[in-house]
Coordinates of all heavy atoms in Angstrom, one line a residue:
M22 N 0.8 -1.2 0.0 CA 0.0 0.0 0.0 C 0.8 1.3 0.0 O 0.4 2.3 -0.2 CB -0.9 0.0 1.2 CG -2.2 -0.8 1.1 SD -3.2 -0.5 -0.4 CE -4.8 -0.7 0.2
S23 N 2.2 1.1 0.3 CA 3.0 2.3 0.4 C 3.2 3.0 -1.0 O 3.6 4.2 -1.0 CB 4.3 2.0 1.0 OG 5.0 1.0 0.3
S24 N 3.1 2.2 -2.0 CA 3.3 2.7 -3.3 C 2.1 3.6 -3.8 O 2.1 4.3 -4.8 CB 3.5 1.6 -4.4 OG 2.3 0.8 -4.5
M25 N 1.0 3.5 -3.0 CA -0.2 4.2 -3.4 C -0.3 5.5 -2.6 O -0.1 5.5 -1.4 CB -1.4 3.4 -3.1 CG -2.3 3.2 -4.2 SD -3.6 2.0 -3.7 CE -4.9 2.6 -4.8
S26 N -0.6 6.6 -3.2 CA -0.7 7.9 -2.5 C -2.0 8.0 -1.8 O -3.0 7.2 -2.1 CB -0.5 9.1 -3.4 OG -1.7 9.3 -4.2
L27 N -2.1 8.8 -0.8 CA -3.3 9.0 -0.1 C -4.5 9.5 -1.0 O -5.6 9.1 -0.8 CB -3.1 10.0 1.1 CG -3.8 9.7 2.4 CD1 -3.4 8.4 2.9 CD2 -3.5 10.9 3.3
T28 N -4.1 10.4 -1.9 CA -5.1 10.9 -2.9 C -5.7 9.7 -3.7 O -6.9 9.6 -3.9 CB -4.5 11.9 -3.8 OG1 -3.7 12.8 -3.0 CG2 -5.5 12.7 -4.5
E29 N -4.8 8.9 -4.2 CA -5.2 7.7 -5.0 C -6.2 6.8 -4.2 O -7.2 6.4 -4.7 CB -4.0 6.9 -5.5 CG -3.4 7.5 -6.7 CD -2.1 6.7 -7.1 OE1 -1.3 6.5 -6.2 OE2 -2.1 6.2 -8.2
M30 N -5.8 6.6 -2.9 CA -6.6 5.7 -2.1 C -8.0 6.3 -1.8 O -9.0 5.6 -1.8 CB -5.9 5.4 -0.7 CG -4.9 4.4 -0.9 SD -4.1 3.7 0.6 CE -4.6 4.7 1.9
A31 N -8.0 7.6 -1.6 CA -9.3 8.3 -1.4 C -10.1 8.2 -2.6 O -11.3 8.0 -2.6 CB -9.0 9.8 -1.0
R32 N -9.5 8.3 -3.8 CA -10.2 8.2 -5.1 C -10.8 6.8 -5.2 O -12.0 6.7 -5.7 CB -9.3 8.5 -6.2 CG -9.5 9.9 -6.8 CD -8.6 10.1 -8.0 NE -8.1 11.5 -8.0 CZ -7.0 11.9 -8.5 NH1 -6.2 11.0 -9.1 NH2 -6.6 13.1 -8.4
C33 N -10.0 5.8 -4.9 CA -10.5 4.4 -5.1 C -11.7 4.2 -4.1 O -12.7 3.6 -4.5 CB -9.4 3.4 -4.7 SG -8.2 3.3 -6.0
L34 N -11.6 4.7 -2.9 CA -12.6 4.6 -1.9 C -13.9 5.2 -2.4 O -15.0 4.6 -2.4 CB -12.2 5.2 -0.6 CG -13.0 4.7 0.6 CD1 -12.7 3.2 0.9 CD2 -12.5 5.5 1.8
R35 N -13.8 6.5 -2.9 CA -14.9 7.2 -3.4 C -15.5 6.5 -4.6 O -16.8 6.4 -4.7 CB -14.5 8.6 -3.8 CG -15.4 9.7 -3.2 CD -14.9 11.0 -3.6 NE -13.7 11.4 -2.9 CZ -12.7 12.1 -3.5 NH1 -12.8 12.5 -4.7 NH2 -11.6 12.5 -2.8
T36 N -14.7 6.0 -5.5 CA -15.2 5.3 -6.7 C -15.9 4.0 -6.3 O -17.0 3.8 -6.8 CB -14.0 4.9 -7.6 OG1 -13.3 6.1 -8.0 CG2 -14.5 4.2 -8.8
S37 N -15.4 3.2 -5.4 CA -16.1 2.0 -5.0 C -17.4 2.3 -4.3 O -18.3 1.5 -4.4 CB -15.2 1.1 -4.2 OG -15.0 1.6 -2.9
R38 N -17.5 3.4 -3.6 CA -18.7 3.7 -3.0 C -19.8 4.1 -4.0 O -21.0 3.9 -3.8 CB -18.5 4.9 -2.0 CG -18.0 4.4 -0.6 CD -18.1 5.6 0.4 NE -17.4 5.2 1.6 CZ -16.7 6.1 2.2 NH1 -16.5 7.3 1.8 NH2 -16.1 5.7 3.3
A39 N -19.4 4.8 -5.0 CA -20.3 5.3 -6.0 C -20.5 4.3 -7.2 O -21.4 4.5 -8.0 CB -19.8 6.6 -6.6
L40 N -19.8 3.2 -7.2 CA -19.8 2.3 -8.3 C -21.1 1.7 -8.6 O -21.6 1.7 -9.8 CB -18.7 1.2 -8.1 CG -18.3 0.4 -9.3 CD1 -17.7 1.4 -10.4 CD2 -17.3 -0.6 -9.0
Q41 N -21.8 1.2 -7.6 CA -23.1 0.6 -7.8 C -24.1 1.6 -8.4 O -24.8 1.3 -9.4 CB -23.7 0.1 -6.4 CG -22.8 -0.9 -5.8 CD -23.3 -2.3 -5.9 OE1 -24.0 -2.6 -6.9 NE2 -23.0 -3.2 -5.0
R42 N -24.1 2.8 -7.8 CA -25.0 3.8 -8.3 C -24.7 4.2 -9.8 O -25.6 4.4 -10.6 CB -24.9 5.1 -7.5 CG -26.0 5.2 -6.4 CD -25.9 6.5 -5.6 NE -24.6 6.6 -5.0 CZ -23.9 7.7 -4.8 NH1 -24.4 8.8 -5.3 NH2 -22.7 7.7 -4.2
Y43 N -23.4 4.3 -10.0 CA -22.9 4.6 -11.4 C -23.4 3.6 -12.4 O -23.9 3.9 -13.4 CB -21.4 4.7 -11.4 CG -20.8 4.8 -12.7 CD1 -20.8 6.0 -13.5 CD2 -20.1 3.7 -13.3 CE1 -20.3 6.0 -14.7 CE2 -19.5 3.8 -14.5 CZ -19.6 4.9 -15.2 OH -19.0 5.0 -16.5
L44 N -23.2 2.3 -12.0 CA -23.6 1.2 -13.0 C -25.1 1.1 -13.1 O -25.6 0.7 -14.1 CB -23.0 -0.1 -12.5 CG -21.5 -0.2 -12.5 CD1 -21.0 -1.5 -11.9 CD2 -21.0 -0.1 -14.0
D45 N -25.8 1.6 -12.1 CA -27.3 1.6 -12.2 C -27.8 2.8 -12.9 O -29.0 2.9 -13.1 CB -27.9 1.5 -10.8 CG -27.8 0.1 -10.1 OD1 -27.6 -0.8 -10.9 OD2 -27.8 0.1 -8.9
G46 N -26.9 3.7 -13.3 CA -27.3 4.9 -13.9 C -27.9 5.9 -13.0 O -28.6 6.8 -13.5
E47 N -27.7 5.8 -11.7 CA -28.3 6.6 -10.7 C -27.4 7.7 -10.2 O -27.8 8.6 -9.4 CB -28.9 5.8 -9.6 CG -30.1 5.0 -10.0 CD -30.4 3.9 -9.0 OE1 -29.8 3.9 -7.9 OE2 -31.4 3.1 -9.2
A48 N -26.1 7.7 -10.6 CA -25.2 8.7 -10.1 C -25.4 10.0 -10.8 O -25.8 10.0 -12.0 CB -23.8 8.2 -10.3
D49 N -25.2 11.2 -10.1 CA -25.3 12.5 -10.8 C -24.1 12.6 -11.8 O -23.2 11.9 -11.8 CB -25.3 13.6 -9.8 CG -24.0 13.6 -8.9 OD1 -23.1 14.2 -9.3 OD2 -24.1 12.9 -7.9
D50 N -24.3 13.6 -12.7 CA -23.3 13.8 -13.8 C -21.9 13.9 -13.3 O -21.0 13.3 -13.9 CB -23.7 15.0 -14.6 CG -25.0 14.8 -15.4 OD1 -25.4 13.6 -15.5 OD2 -25.5 15.7 -16.0
L51 N -21.7 14.7 -12.3 CA -20.3 14.9 -11.8 C -19.7 13.6 -11.3 O -18.6 13.3 -11.6 CB -20.3 16.0 -10.7 CG -18.9 16.5 -10.2 CD1 -18.2 17.1 -11.3 CD2 -19.1 17.4 -9.0
T52 N -20.5 12.9 -10.5 CA -20.0 11.7 -9.9 C -19.7 10.7 -11.0 O -18.7 10.0 -11.1 CB -21.0 11.1 -8.9 OG1 -21.3 12.0 -7.9 CG2 -20.5 9.8 -8.3
A53 N -20.7 10.6 -12.0 CA -20.5 9.7 -13.1 C -19.2 9.9 -13.9 O -18.5 9.0 -14.3 CB -21.7 9.7 -14.0
A54 N -19.0 11.2 -14.1 CA -17.8 11.6 -14.9 C -16.5 11.3 -14.1 O -15.5 10.8 -14.7 CB -17.8 13.1 -15.2
R55 N -16.5 11.5 -12.8 CA -15.4 11.2 -12.0 C -15.1 9.7 -11.9 O -14.0 9.2 -12.0 CB -15.6 11.7 -10.5 CG -15.2 13.1 -10.4 CD -15.4 13.5 -8.9 NE -15.2 14.9 -8.7 CZ -15.7 15.6 -7.8 NH1 -16.5 15.0 -6.9 NH2 -15.4 16.9 -7.6
V56 N -16.2 8.9 -11.8 CA -16.1 7.5 -11.7 C -15.5 6.9 -13.0 O -14.6 6.1 -13.1 CB -17.4 6.8 -11.4 CG1 -17.3 5.3 -11.5 CG2 -17.8 7.1 -9.9
A57 N -16.1 7.4 -14.1 CA -15.7 6.9 -15.5 C -14.2 7.2 -15.7 O -13.5 6.4 -16.2 CB -16.5 7.6 -16.5
A58 N -13.8 8.5 -15.3 CA -12.4 8.8 -15.5 C -11.5 8.0 -14.6 O -10.4 7.5 -15.1 CB -12.2 10.3 -15.1
H59 N -11.9 7.7 -13.4 CA -11.1 6.9 -12.5 C -11.0 5.4 -13.0 O -9.9 4.8 -12.9 CB -11.6 6.9 -11.1 CG -10.8 6.1 -10.1 ND1 -9.6 6.6 -9.6 CD2 -10.9 4.9 -9.6 CE1 -9.0 5.7 -8.8 NE2 -9.8 4.7 -8.8
L60 N -12.1 4.9 -13.5 CA -12.1 3.5 -14.0 C -11.1 3.4 -15.2 O -10.6 2.3 -15.4 CB -13.5 3.1 -14.4 CG -14.5 2.9 -13.3 CD1 -15.8 2.5 -13.9 CD2 -14.1 2.0 -12.2
E61 N -11.0 4.5 -16.0 CA -10.0 4.4 -17.1 C -8.6 4.3 -16.6 O -7.8 3.6 -17.2 CB -10.2 5.7 -17.9 CG -11.4 5.8 -18.8 CD -11.4 4.8 -19.9 OE1 -10.3 4.7 -20.6 OE2 -12.4 4.1 -20.1
E62 N -8.3 5.0 -15.5 CA -6.9 5.1 -15.1 C -6.5 4.1 -14.0 O -5.3 3.9 -13.7 CB -6.5 6.5 -14.7 CG -7.2 6.9 -13.4 CD -7.1 8.4 -13.1 OE1 -6.8 9.1 -14.1 OE2 -7.3 8.8 -12.0
C63 N -7.5 3.5 -13.4 CA -7.2 2.6 -12.3 C -7.6 1.2 -12.6 O -8.8 0.9 -12.7 CB -7.9 3.1 -11.0 SG -7.6 2.0 -9.6
R64 N -6.7 0.3 -12.7 CA -6.9 -1.1 -13.1 C -7.7 -1.8 -12.1 O -8.6 -2.6 -12.4 CB -5.5 -1.8 -13.3 CG -5.6 -3.1 -14.0 CD -4.2 -3.6 -14.2 NE -4.2 -5.1 -13.9 CZ -4.7 -6.0 -14.8 NH1 -5.1 -5.6 -15.9 NH2 -4.7 -7.2 -14.5
R65 N -7.4 -1.6 -10.8 CA -8.1 -2.3 -9.7 C -9.6 -2.0 -9.8 O -10.4 -2.9 -9.7 CB -7.5 -1.8 -8.4 CG -7.5 -2.9 -7.3 CD -6.6 -2.4 -6.2 NE -7.0 -1.2 -5.7 CZ -7.6 -1.0 -4.5 NH1 -7.7 -2.1 -3.7 NH2 -8.0 0.1 -4.1
C66 N -9.9 -0.7 -9.8 CA -11.3 -0.3 -9.8 C -12.0 -0.7 -11.2 O -13.2 -1.0 -11.2 CB -11.5 1.2 -9.6 SG -11.0 1.7 -7.9
G67 N -11.2 -0.7 -12.3 CA -11.8 -1.1 -13.5 C -12.2 -2.5 -13.5 O -13.3 -2.9 -14.0
L68 N -11.4 -3.4 -12.8 CA -11.7 -4.8 -12.7 C -12.9 -5.0 -11.8 O -13.8 -5.8 -12.1 CB -10.5 -5.6 -12.1 CG -9.4 -5.9 -13.1 CD1 -8.2 -6.5 -12.3 CD2 -9.8 -6.8 -14.2
Q69 N -13.0 -4.2 -10.8 CA -14.2 -4.2 -9.9 C -15.4 -3.9 -10.6 O -16.5 -4.6 -10.4 CB -14.0 -3.2 -8.7 CG -14.7 -3.6 -7.5 CD -14.6 -2.5 -6.4 OE1 -13.9 -1.6 -6.5 NE2 -15.4 -2.7 -5.4
A70 N -15.4 -2.9 -11.5 CA -16.5 -2.5 -12.2 C -16.9 -3.6 -13.2 O -18.1 -3.9 -13.4 CB -16.2 -1.2 -13.0
Q71 N -16.0 -4.2 -13.8 CA -16.2 -5.4 -14.7 C -16.9 -6.5 -14.0 O -17.9 -7.1 -14.5 CB -14.9 -5.9 -15.3 CG -14.6 -5.3 -16.7 CD -13.3 -5.8 -17.2 OE1 -12.8 -6.9 -16.8 NE2 -12.6 -5.1 -18.0
T72 N -16.5 -6.8 -12.8 CA -17.1 -7.8 -12.0 C -18.5 -7.5 -11.7 O -19.4 -8.4 -11.9 CB -16.3 -8.1 -10.7 OG1 -14.9 -8.3 -11.0 CG2 -16.8 -9.3 -10.0
Y73 N -18.8 -6.3 -11.2 CA -20.1 -5.9 -10.9 C -21.0 -6.0 -12.1 O -22.2 -6.5 -12.1 CB -20.2 -4.4 -10.5 CG -20.0 -4.2 -9.0 CD1 -19.1 -3.3 -8.5 CD2 -20.7 -5.0 -8.1 CE1 -18.9 -3.1 -7.1 CE2 -20.5 -4.8 -6.7 CZ -19.6 -3.9 -6.3 OH -19.4 -3.7 -4.9
R74 N -20.5 -5.5 -13.3 CA -21.3 -5.6 -14.5 C -21.7 -7.0 -14.9 O -22.8 -7.3 -15.2 CB -20.5 -5.0 -15.7 CG -20.6 -3.5 -15.8 CD -20.4 -3.0 -17.2 NE -20.1 -1.6 -17.1 CZ -18.9 -1.0 -17.2 NH1 -17.8 -1.7 -17.3 NH2 -18.8 0.3 -17.1
A75 N -20.7 -7.9 -14.7 CA -20.9 -9.3 -15.1 C -22.0 -9.9 -14.1 O -22.9 -10.7 -14.6 CB -19.6 -10.1 -15.0
I76 N -21.9 -9.6 -12.9 CA -22.9 -10.1 -11.9 C -24.3 -9.6 -12.2 O -25.2 -10.4 -12.2 CB -22.5 -9.7 -10.5 CG1 -21.2 -10.5 -10.0 CG2 -23.6 -10.0 -9.5 CD1 -20.6 -10.0 -8.7
K77 N -24.3 -8.3 -12.5 CA -25.6 -7.7 -12.8 C -26.3 -8.3 -14.0 O -27.4 -8.6 -14.1 CB -25.5 -6.2 -13.0 CG -25.4 -5.5 -11.7 CD -24.8 -4.1 -11.9 CE -25.9 -3.1 -12.3 NZ -26.9 -2.9 -11.3
Q78 N -25.4 -8.6 -15.0 CA -25.9 -9.2 -16.3 C -26.4 -10.6 -16.0 O -27.4 -11.0 -16.5 CB -24.7 -9.2 -17.3 CG -25.1 -8.6 -18.6 CD -23.9 -8.3 -19.4 OE1 -22.8 -9.0 -19.3 NE2 -23.9 -7.3 -20.3
A79 N -25.6 -11.3 -15.3 CA -26.0 -12.7 -15.0 C -27.3 -12.7 -14.2 O -28.2 -13.6 -14.5 CB -24.9 -13.4 -14.2
L80 N -27.5 -11.8 -13.2 CA -28.7 -11.8 -12.5 C -29.9 -11.4 -13.3 O -31.0 -12.0 -13.2 CB -28.6 -10.7 -11.3 CG -27.7 -11.1 -10.2 CD1 -27.6 -9.9 -9.2 CD2 -28.3 -12.3 -9.4
R81 N -29.7 -10.4 -14.2 CA -30.8 -10.0 -15.1 C -31.2 -11.2 -16.0 O -32.4 -11.3 -16.3 CB -30.3 -8.8 -15.9 CG -31.4 -7.8 -16.2 CD -30.9 -6.6 -16.9 NE -30.0 -5.8 -16.2 CZ -28.8 -5.3 -16.6 NH1 -28.4 -5.5 -17.8 NH2 -28.1 -4.6 -15.8
G82 N -30.2 -11.9 -16.5 CA -30.5 -13.0 -17.4 C -31.0 -14.3 -16.7 O -31.4 -15.2 -17.4
G83 N -30.9 -14.3 -15.4 CA -31.4 -15.4 -14.7 C -30.4 -16.6 -14.7 O -30.7 -17.7 -14.4
N84 N -29.2 -16.3 -15.2 CA -28.2 -17.4 -15.4 C -27.7 -18.0 -14.1 O -27.4 -19.1 -14.0 CB -27.0 -16.9 -16.2 CG -27.3 -16.6 -17.6 OD1 -28.3 -17.2 -18.1 ND2 -26.6 -15.7 -18.2
V85 N -27.7 -17.1 -13.1 CA -27.2 -17.5 -11.8 C -28.0 -18.6 -11.2 O -27.6 -19.7 -10.7 CB -27.0 -16.3 -10.8 CG1 -26.8 -16.8 -9.4 CG2 -25.9 -15.4 -11.3
D86 N -29.3 -18.4 -11.2 CA -30.3 -19.3 -10.6 C -30.3 -20.7 -11.4 O -30.3 -21.7 -10.8 CB -31.7 -18.8 -10.6 CG -31.9 -17.8 -9.5 OD1 -31.0 -17.7 -8.6 OD2 -32.9 -17.0 -9.5
E87 N -30.2 -20.5 -12.7 CA -30.2 -21.7 -13.5 C -29.0 -22.6 -13.2 O -29.1 -23.8 -13.1 CB -30.2 -21.4 -15.0 CG -31.5 -21.6 -15.7 CD -31.5 -21.1 -17.1 OE1 -30.7 -21.5 -17.9 OE2 -32.4 -20.2 -17.4
L88 N -27.8 -21.9 -13.1 CA -26.6 -22.6 -12.8 C -26.7 -23.3 -11.4 O -26.3 -24.4 -11.3 CB -25.4 -21.6 -12.8 CG -24.1 -22.2 -12.9 CD1 -23.9 -22.9 -14.3 CD2 -23.0 -21.1 -12.8
A89 N -27.2 -22.6 -10.5 CA -27.4 -23.2 -9.1 C -28.3 -24.4 -9.2 O -28.0 -25.4 -8.5 CB -27.9 -22.1 -8.2
L90 N -29.4 -24.3 -9.9 CA -30.3 -25.4 -10.0 C -29.6 -26.6 -10.7 O -29.8 -27.7 -10.2 CB -31.5 -25.0 -10.9 CG -32.7 -24.3 -10.1 CD1 -33.7 -23.8 -11.1 CD2 -33.3 -25.2 -9.1
H91 N -28.9 -26.3 -11.7 CA -28.2 -27.4 -12.4 C -27.2 -28.1 -11.5 O -27.1 -29.3 -11.5 CB -27.4 -26.8 -13.6 CG -26.6 -27.8 -14.4 ND1 -27.2 -28.7 -15.3 CD2 -25.3 -28.1 -14.4 CE1 -26.3 -29.4 -15.8 NE2 -25.1 -29.1 -15.3
R92 N -26.5 -27.3 -10.7 CA -25.5 -27.9 -9.7 C -26.2 -28.7 -8.7 O -25.8 -29.8 -8.3 CB -24.7 -26.8 -9.1 CG -23.7 -26.2 -10.0 CD -22.6 -25.5 -9.1 NE -21.6 -25.0 -10.0 CZ -21.2 -23.7 -10.0 NH1 -21.7 -22.9 -9.1 NH2 -20.3 -23.3 -10.8
L93 N -27.4 -28.2 -8.3 CA -28.2 -28.9 -7.2 C -28.6 -30.2 -7.8 O -28.6 -31.3 -7.1 CB -29.4 -28.0 -6.8 CG -29.9 -28.2 -5.4 CD1 -28.9 -27.9 -4.4 CD2 -31.1 -27.4 -5.2
R94 N -29.1 -30.2 -9.0 CA -29.6 -31.5 -9.6 C -28.5 -32.5 -9.8 O -28.6 -33.7 -9.5 CB -30.2 -31.2 -11.0 CG -31.7 -30.9 -10.9 CD -32.3 -30.8 -12.3 NE -33.3 -29.8 -12.3 CZ -33.2 -28.7 -13.1 NH1 -32.2 -28.6 -14.0 NH2 -34.1 -27.8 -13.1
A95 N -27.3 -32.0 -10.3 CA -26.2 -32.8 -10.5 C -25.7 -33.4 -9.1 O -25.3 -34.6 -9.0 CB -25.0 -32.1 -11.1
F96 N -25.8 -32.6 -8.1 CA -25.4 -33.1 -6.8 C -26.4 -34.1 -6.2 O -25.9 -35.2 -5.8 CB -25.4 -31.9 -5.8 CG -24.9 -32.2 -4.4 CD1 -23.7 -32.7 -4.2 CD2 -25.8 -32.1 -3.3 CE1 -23.3 -33.0 -2.9 CE2 -25.4 -32.4 -2.1 CZ -24.1 -32.9 -1.8
S97 N -27.7 -33.9 -6.3 CA -28.6 -34.9 -5.8 C -28.6 -36.2 -6.7 O -28.8 -37.3 -6.2 CB -30.0 -34.3 -5.8 OG -30.4 -34.0 -7.1
G98 N -28.2 -36.0 -7.9 CA -28.1 -37.2 -8.8 C -26.9 -38.0 -8.4 O -27.0 -39.2 -8.4
S99 N -25.8 -37.4 -7.9 CA -24.7 -38.1 -7.5 C -24.9 -38.8 -6.2 O -24.3 -39.8 -5.8 CB -23.4 -37.2 -7.4 OG -23.5 -36.4 -6.3
L100 N -25.8 -38.3 -5.4 CA -26.1 -38.9 -4.1 C -26.9 -40.2 -4.3 O -26.6 -41.2 -3.6 CB -27.0 -37.9 -3.2 CG -26.2 -36.8 -2.6 CD1 -27.2 -35.9 -1.8 CD2 -25.1 -37.3 -1.6
T101 N -27.9 -40.1 -5.1 CA -28.7 -41.3 -5.4 C -28.0 -42.4 -6.2 O -28.0 -43.5 -5.9 CB -30.1 -41.0 -6.1 OG1 -29.8 -40.3 -7.3 CG2 -30.9 -40.1 -5.2
A102 N -27.2 -41.9 -7.2 CA -26.3 -42.7 -8.0 C -27.1 -43.8 -8.7 O -26.5 -44.9 -9.0 CB -25.2 -43.3 -7.2
S103 N -28.4 -43.7 -8.9 CA -29.1 -44.7 -9.6 C -28.9 -44.6 -11.1 O -28.9 -45.5 -11.9 CB -30.6 -44.5 -9.3 OG -31.0 -43.2 -9.6
D104 N -28.5 -43.3 -11.6 CA -28.2 -43.1 -12.9 C -26.7 -43.4 -13.2 O -25.9 -42.8 -12.5 CB -28.5 -41.6 -13.2 CG -28.2 -41.3 -14.7 OD1 -27.8 -42.1 -15.4 OD2 -28.4 -40.1 -15.0
P105 N -26.4 -44.3 -14.1 CA -25.0 -44.7 -14.3 C -24.2 -43.5 -14.8 O -23.0 -43.5 -14.5 CB -25.1 -45.8 -15.4 CG -26.5 -45.6 -16.0 CD -27.3 -45.1 -14.9
N106 N -24.8 -42.6 -15.4 CA -24.0 -41.4 -15.9 C -23.6 -40.5 -14.7 O -22.6 -39.7 -14.8 CB -24.9 -40.6 -16.8 CG -25.1 -41.3 -18.1 OD1 -24.2 -42.1 -18.6 ND2 -26.3 -41.1 -18.7
A107 N -24.3 -40.6 -13.6 CA -23.9 -39.7 -12.5 C -22.6 -40.1 -11.9 O -21.9 -39.3 -11.3 CB -25.0 -39.9 -11.4
D108 N -22.1 -41.3 -12.1 CA -20.8 -41.7 -11.6 C -19.7 -41.1 -12.3 O -18.6 -40.9 -11.7 CB -20.7 -43.3 -11.7 CG -21.5 -44.0 -10.7 OD1 -21.8 -43.4 -9.6 OD2 -21.9 -45.1 -11.0
D109 N -19.9 -40.7 -13.5 CA -18.8 -40.1 -14.3 C -18.3 -38.8 -13.8 O -17.1 -38.5 -13.8 CB -19.3 -39.9 -15.8 CG -19.5 -41.2 -16.4 OD1 -18.9 -42.2 -16.0 OD2 -20.3 -41.3 -17.4
D110 N -19.2 -37.9 -13.3 CA -18.8 -36.7 -12.8 C -19.2 -36.5 -11.3 O -19.7 -35.5 -10.9 CB -19.2 -35.5 -13.6 CG -20.7 -35.5 -13.8 OD1 -21.4 -36.4 -13.2 OD2 -21.3 -34.6 -14.4
R111 N -18.9 -37.5 -10.5 CA -19.2 -37.4 -9.1 C -18.2 -36.4 -8.5 O -17.1 -36.3 -8.8 CB -19.0 -38.7 -8.5 CG -19.9 -38.9 -7.2 CD -19.4 -40.0 -6.4 NE -19.7 -41.3 -7.1 CZ -20.4 -42.3 -6.5 NH1 -20.9 -42.1 -5.3 NH2 -20.6 -43.4 -7.1
W112 N -18.8 -35.6 -7.4 CA -17.9 -34.6 -6.8 C -17.0 -35.3 -5.8 O -17.5 -35.7 -4.8 CB -18.8 -33.5 -6.1 CG -19.6 -32.7 -7.1 CD1 -19.8 -33.0 -8.4 CD2 -20.2 -31.5 -6.9 NE1 -20.6 -32.1 -8.9 CE2 -20.8 -31.1 -8.0 CE3 -20.3 -30.6 -5.7 CZ2 -21.5 -29.9 -8.1 CZ3 -20.9 -29.5 -5.8 CH2 -21.6 -29.1 -7.0
Ligands
ZN224 ZN1 -9.1 2.9 -8.1

């Protein structure tokens, strides 16, 4: 952390606080411009924004629940093991 200046750390903190609002399109113009500029220059915050976006996209598409359901089915299948195919990818 010593390589990071106090100003940079304060910017990262402010950015991460405003990030959700920014991605939801709820941040005011000034905040949105500051966040966008910081995401361009800060790799760490840029990655954080990418992660948030991916999560939001997955939630919107319902992929998360489907994946969870699929895992649950695969898991219960491996418990009963009546299906010969279940043995192939047992956890
Ligand atoms: Zn940052």
Side-chain angles (χ1 to χ4, degrees):
M22 279 307 217
S23 57
S24 64
M25 234 175 153
S26 79
L27 216 61
T28 317
E29 277 176 305
M30 280 189 351
R32 259 184 217 150
C33 285
L34 198 66
R35 231 179 288 144
T36 299
S37 69
R38 276 193 192 138
L40 197 58
Q41 299 260 27
R42 264 182 301 144
Y43 170 73
L44 292 175
D45 287 337
E47 287 166 5
D49 58 88
D50 289 350
L51 186 65
T52 305
R55 275 185 187 153
V56 170
H59 183 77
L60 293 181
E61 285 292 315
E62 72 192 14
C63 179
R64 194 178 139 76
R65 212 167 59 110
C66 291
L68 284 174
Q69 204 186 351
Q71 263 178 25
T72 307
Y73 272 134
R74 277 203 195 102
I76 290 170
K77 284 163 80 68
Q78 230 163 31
L80 286 175
R81 216 178 291 138
N84 293 333
V85 169
D86 284 346
E87 252 173 60
L88 196 65
L90 274 175
H91 178 76
R92 283 200 181 129
L93 206 62
R94 270 191 219 117
F96 181 64
S97 61
S99 74
L100 282 179
T101 55
S103 53
D104 182 358
N106 292 326
D108 286 332
D109 293 333
D110 56 359
R111 206 197 290 236
W112 294 18

